[in-house]
Amino acid sequence: MEETLKKYPWYWGDISREEAQELLSNTSDGTYLVRKAATAGDYTLTLRKGHRNRLIKIYHRNGKYGLAEPYTYDAVQDLIEYYSHCSLAEYNVQLDCTLDYPVDNQLTEVPTDDSHIYNELCKVNQEHKKKMSELEKLLDIQKVSSEKLQKLHETTTSVKACIKVFEEQMLLLTKTKSQAPADGIAGLICLFV
């Protein structure tokens, strides 16, 4: 389990309670990390809620993990994933929040309340710029396609008009040919050719 947990940014391993407290000081509600507990096989979830750090034990019994009985999670990461989307109020009514901001074990400086907001805004801004760039490209493609379609429509209309004139001329020629004297037909054909 230990090797698997090391892949997750929120897992800090053997840090002390004091180190965990320090890492979470001045952070936003919903900021958290997981560390080894003093009891072998168990872990401690340290969560920032109500401008205080809350220590929540993650128990490991009979191959399952949980915050309280019955223990239903196959792995610590499953429990963390669940509470990233569902409120911890299920476990304790005073903890009406989700696990929103993991304290990344690769960071040298832990974000404070303002920097969480700033970082989120930067991410949203970058995503917005990316989507706007994609939209502009699609609009350019749409404009070119629309212009090509308009030209094709104009060409088709012109060809249809030419065909109509040609058909009218052929009809006129056929009508004139049937009404003209035999010796005048040769001169009439010369007029159209």
Side-chain angles (χ1 to χ4, degrees), residues 3 21 80 82 96 103 115 119 124 134 150 168-169 178:
E3 287 304 312
Q21 298 281 5
I80 298 299
Y82 177 78
D96 59 337
V103 178
S115 64
N119 290 339
V124 169
E134 290 172 8
Q150 181 64 30
E168 289 172 355
Q169 291 297 319
S178 66

Side-chain angles (χ1 to χ4, degrees), residues 12-23:
W12 284 73
D14 283 322
I15 66 168
S16 69
R17 176 180 178 169
E18 292 75 24
E19 288 172 305
Q21 298 281 5
E22 180 64 29
L23 286 166

Side-chain angles (χ1 to χ4, degrees), residues 149-168:
L149 188 59
Q150 181 64 30
K151 287 179 182 177
L152 185 60
H153 177 71
E154 290 170 2
T155 302
T156 303
T157 303
S158 296
V159 168
K160 284 181 180 178
C162 288
I163 290 171
K164 184 177 179 184
V165 168
F166 180 75
E167 287 173 344
E168 289 172 355

Side-chain angles (χ1 to χ4, degrees), residues 166-180 185 188-193:
F166 180 75
E167 287 173 344
E168 289 172 355
Q169 291 297 319
M170 290 301 294
L171 185 62
L172 182 62
L173 179 63
T174 305
K175 186 177 177 183
T176 307
K177 183 179 175 183
S178 66
Q179 295 173 355
I185 293 177
L188 189 60
I189 291 176
C190 290
L191 287 176
F192 285 102
V193 179

Side-chain angles (χ1 to χ4, degrees), residues 128-139:
H128 175 72
K129 285 179 181 178
K130 181 180 173 186
K131 295 292 183 188
M132 288 303 294
S133 176
E134 290 172 8
L135 178 62
E136 287 175 12
K137 288 176 185 175
L138 290 173
L139 287 172

Side-chain angles (χ1 to χ4, degrees), residues 8-84:
Y8 294 92
W10 42 258
Y11 182 67
W12 284 73
D14 283 322
I15 66 168
S16 69
R17 176 180 178 169
E18 292 75 24
E19 288 172 305
Q21 298 281 5
E22 180 64 29
L23 286 166
L24 279 121
S25 65
N26 299 318
T27 59
S28 301
D29 282 1
T31 304
Y32 69 97
L33 63 83
V34 175
R35 63 183 176 87
K36 277 186 176 180
T39 312
D42 292 342
Y43 297 90
T44 301
L45 168 64
T46 306
L47 169 70
R48 188 73 172 179
K49 173 68 176 129
H51 303 290
R52 292 181 33 210
N53 293 338
R54 309 296 178 111
L55 304 177
I56 305 165
K57 189 141 188 187
I58 301 173
Y59 294 96
H60 182 227
R61 303 289 182 271
N62 300 320
K64 298 286 185 178
Y65 294 87
L67 304 179
E69 289 187 22
Y71 306 116
T72 57
Y73 301 97
D74 293 326
V76 174
Q77 58 269 30
D78 296 338
L79 180 144
I80 298 299
E81 175 67 24
Y82 177 78
Y83 286 112
S84 294

